[in-house]
Structure formats: structure tokens, C-alpha cells
Amino acid sequence: STGRKVVITGVPGVGKTTVINASLEALKEEGVDYTSINFGTCMFEVACEQGKVHDRDEMRRLDQDIQCSLQKTAAQVIARINENVIIDTHCTVSTPSGYLAGLPAWVLNEMRPDIIVLVETDEDQILKRRLSDMSRQRDMEGYAAIKDHQRYNRYMAASYSMMTGCTVKIIKNLDYLLDNAISEMVTLLR
Ligand code: AP5
């Protein structure tokens, strides 16, 4: 396929959707176009049609085989897009039975990303952002669990890079420094 495929990841509440939306707006003004796809939304639409869930936070608690099959369907839909595309998703998903790979081999082989971005920030800031977002059913995790998840995501990004030859870019989205994150993202995507 043609066009660049950039996968953007980060633990829930790190602010990846915020950074993506602002960056795409800035790029549009420069005449650079990306289609933005939220992987979770693609999965959610299929899961809803099949009557499996009512809200997106239920998905990570579904049986492993169901999550994998939803993942595969979403990847196939995204693989068909022949233009610059941003995929807003997760390096790994924290499920009741452990970390689930967000981009297992069957997803990577469909999507063939050029770059994987890890949006990160300090764990205490993530905790605070999750607590202030009332619209979601966030997992009750502490500082140590979030730190563990961010670290595990880096290991997994390294293995995705080994499998596909994609690069891995880490972008910090620190409190009061959202503009820095946006400007780094814009430079990367331009
Ligand atoms: P998804 O839709 O990605 O949900 P999420 O993980 O909860 O991510 P959010 O979009 O809510 O958080 P965010 O990090 O983007 O933060 P936001 O910008 O809102 O995934 C939903 C589900 O889909 C998953 O749970 C999973 O089940 C499934 N899924 C997805 N991909 C999958 C895959 N590949 N395989 C299997 N399952 C998959 O910002 C949060 C808050 O922070 C906001 O209040 C914002 O204002 C604030 N904020 C942002 N930046 C800053 C800053 N610099 N300073 C201060 N505050 C800030």
C-alpha cells in the first residue's frame, strides 16, 4: 500500500488522543493530510454489532480469543487505507489475565507500520489525568502499576521494531508542556 502508516500508542490517560488531534490540526494548516483511525473505536463498532459490549472499557475484559478476533478485524479494515494514516492504539492492553499485545504478528503483518510512537509521561501525572476523567471506566491502578506498564510497552515496541523494521519514537507529554509534545509530533509526521 502507499502512504505512511504511523502507529501512536501510550497507556490510558497519557493524553495520546489530545496530542494526535492537535497535531493533525496543525498539519492540516500546512497542507499535510493524515487520516486518523482510532483502533479501539474500530474494535468497538464490531463488538457492538456482535452485541458483546456496551462501552469501550468493557473490551479489555472480554475473553482473550474474542479480543484477538476483534483486533484482527480492525487491522484488516485499517490495512485497506491507501493514504497517510495515523493509528491511535495501544502497544499492550492491561487485561485481567495480563498484558495483551496490541500489535501481535497478525496485526503487524496486516498494517505494516513505518513508525511506532510511544507517548509517555510521569506516572503521577497519568494517575491524576485518569482520576479527573469522569467519562471513562478507568482501571484503579497505582503509580507502580502504571510505571510497570510504560516500561513493558517499551520492550514490546522494541520487538515490533525487530519484526517489521519500523522505527520507535518516544514523545513526552508532560504537564504544562503539551505544546512541546505537539511540536515533536508535527515534526515527525510532516
Ligand atoms: P482507547 O480509545 O485508546 O482508550 P484509552 O486507552 O482509554 O485512551 P484514551 O483515548 O482515553 O486516553 P488518551 O491517552 O488518549 O488520553 P486523552 O487524550 O483522552 O482504547 C479503548 C480500548 O480499545 C482499550 O481499552 C482496548 O480494550 C481497545 N484497544 C485499543 N487498541 C487495541 C489493540 N491494538 N489491541 C487490543 N485492544 C485494543 O487525555 C486524557 C486526559 O489528559 C484529558 O483530560 C486531557 O485533557 C489530559 N491531558 C492530555 N495532555 C495533557 C498535558 N500535557 N497536560 C495536562 N493534561 C493533559
Side-chain angles (χ1 to χ4, degrees):
S1 73
T2 53
R4 256 172 130 202
K5 286 203 162 63
V6 183
V7 169
I8 302 185
T9 69
V11 298
V14 75
K16 62 189 148 47
T17 306
T18 306
V19 176
I20 291 170
N21 291 346
S23 304
L24 290 187
E25 226 165 272
L27 284 164
K28 202 171 189 174
E29 279 173 25
E30 296 180 14
V32 181
D33 278 318
Y34 275 86
T35 302
S36 167
I37 303 282
N38 187 302
F39 199 97
T41 303
C42 282
M43 283 178 59
F44 183 58
E45 281 165 4
V46 179
C48 275
E49 274 169 29
Q50 299 175 352
K52 294 200 167 78
V53 291
H54 301 98
D55 86 76
R56 57 201 296 126
D57 289 304
E58 286 176 57
M59 286 197 296
R60 61 179 175 273
R61 295 167 200 132
L62 289 169
D63 286 348
Q64 188 175 344
D65 54 336
I66 298 175
Q67 290 189 61
C68 289
S69 119
L70 291 169
Q71 238 178 3
K72 197 165 192 167
T73 310
Q76 285 164 349
V77 171
I78 294 165
R80 277 189 235 119
I81 302 171
N82 278 319
E83 47 202 49
N84 290 337
V85 62
I86 275 183
I87 301 130
D88 179 343
T89 186
H90 290 275
C91 217
T92 66
V93 179
S94 183
T95 78
S97 49
Y99 293 125
L100 179 84
L103 307 162
W106 58 86
V107 171
L108 280 179
N109 290 337
E110 291 283 352
M111 296 204 313
R112 297 265 135 215
D114 299 291
I115 310 173
I116 295 183
V117 179
L118 294 172
V119 180
E120 295 181 349
T121 193
D122 299 342
E123 290 76 21
D124 51 349
Q125 297 180 356
I126 293 168
L127 204 58
K128 197 181 60 190
R129 290 177 198 172
R130 284 187 191 175
L131 288 172
S132 60
D133 184 357
M134 293 301 166
S135 69
R136 301 292 302 269
Q137 291 279 320
R138 303 290 192 191
D139 294 330
M140 284 312 288
E141 280 185 326
Y143 173 94
I146 298 173
K147 192 180 179 77
D148 198 57
H149 194 181
Q150 289 207 110
R151 192 184 299 134
Y152 188 72
N153 282 345
R154 283 200 184 191
Y155 303 153
M156 290 299 278
S159 70
Y160 299 151
S161 171
M162 288 296 294
M163 285 174 72
T164 63
C166 69
T167 56
V168 174
K169 174 78 177 172
I170 294 169
I171 293 185
K172 295 285 181 191
N173 178 31
L174 303 171
D175 272 357
Y176 313 110
L177 293 171
L178 176 61
D179 286 345
N180 290 9
I182 294 166
S183 118
E184 268 200 78
M185 187 74 83
V186 166
T187 304
L188 183 73
L189 297 175
R190 191 179 275 134

